[in-house]
Amino acid sequence: LISAPSSPGLHVVHIAAEMAPVAKVGGLGDVVTGLSKALQKRGHLVEIIIPKYDCMQYDRILDLRALDAVVESYFDGRLYKNKVWVGTIDGLPVYFIEPLHPDKFFWRGQFYGEHDDFKRFSFFSRAALELLLQSGKKPDIIHCHDWQTAFVAPLYWDLYAPKGLNSARICFTCHNFEYQGTAPASELASCGLDVQELNRPDRMQDNSAHDRINPVKGAVVFSNIVTTVSPTYAQEVRTAEGGKGLHSTLNLHSKKFVGILNGIDTDEWNPATDSFLEVQYSSNDLQGKAANKRAIRKQLGLSSANALKPMVGCITRLVPQKGVHLIRHALYRTLELGGQFLLLGSSPVPHIQREFEGIANQFQNHDDIRLILKYDESLSHHIFAASDMLIIPSIFEPCGLTQMIAMRYGSIPIARKTGGLNDSVFDVDDETIPFQFQNGYTFSNADEQGVNTALERAFSHYKNDPQSWQQLVHRVMSIELGWAPSASQYEELYLKSVARARAARQN
Ligand code: ADP
């Protein structure tokens, strides 16, 4: 009989390339911290292992110190020493690995985008497991994330379980299947994995290039639990259109694959305590929200003539995934409909950045439009607080955080029904959705017509029935968006997997 232990109390170790707020590039960093905090609150022992990057926000780490013991790990035919540091981030115990390797893997001034990323992170994955083995830890769950630490799954079963680190079940979360980290098969040998054994169609071989190995595929094959960041995205990636080449693998392993919607950190994103804002507010005091709208208009030199002119915000990386052509269209359409538009975004793609710089110049002194083409944490808080609506016309979106942050700040999301947006934004005009869940405007087709219909319905509601709009804002701001529900789903997966392993050991 499979019986779950009565007290949860699991020992969970996350091995990841990011952790908010000290080493964050995107949603992955938020998930590692948010999920860990929520699991810790539920009584589990949660530890995190990340690389010791030179470019981390060291001021957010408490009690950082180096351990006396040095951990030796294998790479490219020899052993390298690693200095191990410990510290506390947001109340969570974190281990930082500093490889004493001549290539200075994490001393590059940036987190990713280096020519040897495959090497850097396969090295790190192995060193993290070595740390667990040598410190004698016996975790119940080792949770790895995205391609950078996907190596943990095959390394664990092929090398570390036989060495005695055999207490754990492996959970892998993919935050975006667009990034799979493929490389020539021979490169896998550096971290000690057996290329002959693993470069096979049912193991790590890339589904489209047979001389390449695919770490994400390897983690899907070799993990006990595989998750992604929303239920709809989990379905989409099982189709040929959405799976980025991995749909057949995911279908083969569908029994262990689920989508769990991310939460947001409701302490960090809270308009009632947000120290970036001059005027804090809550759902019971929307005067404060109006004050933020006035303030940003003044700050950015937009017209303040009409307080009731709807303000549409857009806060995003400007990459094709986010529907950049639809963002551009929404900007012009907002102007035609008599609204104001604020875009905060930056692009790693030069031609997109140039195109938006062109638009920004065109509207430089315009009364109703401003484009701010950079990454700016503080300004993002101001725009969430000031805007009446936030537009998110993504082509695909594994989970998406901005729609949830917008809700928390009383900005009504206008989103394309894809991935996590489909699981968190529910149309106000859709009568099949219970009233208390209706929280935004949605559209299905990734085209201008789709954007128009949703934007026009939102504008008409805002202008023609201000009282009902205020009620909508009030309701949306009260929605539970924290990590607790998602953490309990992860906990359930962990417990079931641990129970299955125990039952198997007893048989
Ligand atoms: P992704 O991880 O694909 O970029 P998400 O919606 O999951 O998209 O997360 C984006 C996060 O980054 C949000 O917290 C959003 O506020 C923030 N963000 C995106 N662009 C900017 C920017 N230009 N300035 C400040 N914050 C930004």
Side-chain angles (χ1 to χ4, degrees):
L1 264 177
I2 299 177
S3 63
S6 51
S7 133
L10 293 171
H11 181 186
V12 180
V13 176
H14 289 274
I15 302 178
E18 293 183 35
M19 178 178 184
V22 302
K24 173 181 159 175
V25 175
L28 161 62
D30 290 316
V31 173
V32 171
T33 306
L35 174 60
S36 298
K37 276 166 75 175
L39 287 169
Q40 191 187 49
K41 249 187 217 152
R42 298 176 76 87
H44 303 290
L45 168 60
V46 186
E47 297 176 300
I48 296 123
I49 308 178
I50 60 173
K52 187 169 183 288
Y53 299 101
D54 55 348
C55 49
M56 286 193 299
Q57 280 196 36
Y58 281 90
D59 57 335
R60 304 290 291 268
I61 309 171
L62 281 183
D63 305 327
L64 182 65
R65 64 189 171 85
L67 295 182
D68 292 335
V70 160
V71 168
E72 281 196 324
S73 64
Y74 172 92
F75 206 69
D76 269 341
R78 54 162 289 196
L79 292 175
Y80 289 93
K81 290 189 168 52
N82 295 276
K83 197 163 172 180
V84 180
W85 299 70
V86 286
T88 306
I89 298 172
D90 263 1
L92 293 161
V94 184
Y95 293 86
F96 305 86
I97 293 184
E98 178 186 359
L100 303 180
H101 185 286
D103 288 353
K104 296 194 180 314
F105 287 136
F106 302 111
W107 225 249
R108 307 287 182 84
Q110 60 177 1
F111 300 110
Y112 308 132
E114 296 285 299
H115 70 282
D116 56 350
D117 276 358
F118 187 94
K119 235 177 147 177
R120 298 163 71 219
F121 289 103
S122 56
F123 181 101
F124 167 69
S125 297
R126 176 138 192 183
L129 285 170
E130 199 61 52
L131 168 63
L132 291 178
L133 177 71
Q134 292 183 24
S135 60
K137 287 184 188 289
K138 293 274 168 210
D140 299 298
I141 296 288
I142 298 176
H143 194 149
C144 49
H145 299 264
D146 279 354
W147 79 261
Q148 289 87 354
T149 58
F151 306 97
V152 164
L155 279 169
Y156 179 82
W157 294 113
D158 283 0
L159 301 175
Y160 283 85
K163 282 177 196 252
L165 177 65
N166 55 8
S167 57
R169 307 290 278 172
I170 307 295
C171 179
F172 171 68
T173 298
C174 185
H175 300 256
N176 190 337
F177 280 94
E178 182 147 86
Y179 307 105
Q180 297 177 10
T182 65
S186 58
E187 289 195 24
L188 194 60
S190 296
C191 69
L193 286 170
D194 186 329
V195 178
Q196 297 294 327
E197 281 293 308
L198 292 171
N199 187 25
R200 296 195 195 174
D202 60 339
R203 297 186 183 166
M204 290 186 79
Q205 186 176 82
D206 189 60
N207 291 337
S208 47
H210 295 169
D211 53 349
R212 295 178 75 80
I213 51 102
N214 183 325
V216 168
K217 178 175 166 181
V220 170
V221 171
F222 286 99
S223 297
N224 302 102
I225 306 166
V226 180
T227 75
T228 189
V229 288
S230 70
T232 297
Y233 188 57
Q235 282 175 5
E236 289 167 355
V237 292
R238 289 179 58 183
T239 66
E241 307 82 66
K244 314 275 174 193
L246 282 182
H247 59 286
S248 55
T249 309
L250 290 165
N251 281 319
L252 203 63
H253 293 275
S254 63
K255 273 206 187 114
K256 63 182 178 189
F257 179 51
V258 291
I260 300 177
L261 194 71
N262 290 339
I264 57 167
D265 187 332
T266 47
D267 298 330
E268 187 197 339
W269 298 106
N270 181 359
T273 56
D274 191 326
S275 54
F276 286 109
L277 306 180
E278 281 82 45
V279 184
Q280 283 86 23
Y281 63 98
S282 69
S283 60
N284 294 320
D285 155 38
L286 292 174
Q287 295 298 323
K289 184 162 175 66
N292 279 287
K293 186 167 167 181
R294 281 196 300 277
I296 207 159
R297 283 171 154 177
K298 208 164 147 202
Q299 182 192 339
L300 297 176
L302 294 178
S303 161
S304 302
N306 177 0
L308 296 178
K309 208 172 229 208
M311 180 176 283
V312 181
C314 181
I315 300 173
T316 187
R317 290 184 295 128
L318 290 166
V319 291
Q321 172 196 336
K322 303 290 179 182
V324 275
H325 58 297
L326 299 178
I327 293 172
R328 187 187 55 210
H329 174 75
L331 185 149
Y332 289 108
R333 189 74 193 123
T334 297
L335 206 55
E336 285 167 7
L337 291 170
Q340 293 186 317
F341 198 99
L342 281 181
L343 170 70
L344 174 62
S346 65
S347 186
V349 186
H351 76 90
I352 298 179
Q353 179 77 13
R354 273 199 303 278
E355 181 190 348
F356 277 81
E357 276 165 6
I359 303 173
N361 288 337
Q362 179 190 345
F363 289 109
Q364 212 169 24
N365 297 311
H366 198 280
D367 275 351
D368 295 315
I369 290 201
R370 214 49 96 236
L371 281 72
I372 303 105
L373 301 178
K374 60 176 179 180
Y375 187 94
D376 186 332
E377 175 88 23
S378 165
L379 191 54
S380 78
H381 285 247
H382 286 106
I383 296 177
F384 283 121
S387 57
D388 299 297
M389 305 158 197
L390 196 92
I391 186 134
I392 315 143
S394 301
I395 306 305
F396 75 94
E397 192 62 76
C399 177
L401 297 174
T402 56
Q403 77 277 19
M404 295 193 253
I405 302 170
M407 289 179 206
R408 185 105 168 113
Y409 283 72
S411 176
I412 303 302
I414 301 173
R416 177 155 177 266
K417 279 167 86 68
T418 180
L421 296 169
N422 185 53
D423 296 322
S424 55
V425 185
F426 306 106
D427 202 292
V428 165
D429 293 326
D430 185 344
E431 281 160 9
T432 64
I433 293 166
F435 178 73
Q436 71 270 28
F437 296 124
Q438 297 174 358
N439 59 11
Y441 289 88
T442 62
F443 59 99
S444 297
N445 294 342
D447 56 25
E448 297 183 353
Q449 190 54 35
V451 172
N452 288 350
T453 53
L455 201 57
E456 285 159 18
R457 285 187 296 118
F459 267 58
S460 139
H461 186 177
Y462 180 92
K463 287 184 166 171
N464 299 333
D465 199 345
Q467 206 182 343
S468 146
W469 183 271
Q470 291 279 307
Q471 285 162 1
L472 172 65
V473 170
H474 179 83
R475 201 171 68 239
V476 164
M477 286 182 75
S478 312
I479 294 172
E480 166 61 54
L481 297 162
W483 267 99
S486 317
S488 83
Q489 290 180 63
Y490 278 102
E491 177 186 82
E492 195 181 322
L493 289 177
Y494 293 164
L495 285 171
K496 275 193 186 149
S497 185
V498 167
R500 265 198 303 277
R502 284 189 187 142
R505 270 200 287 270
Q506 277 158 16
N507 285 335

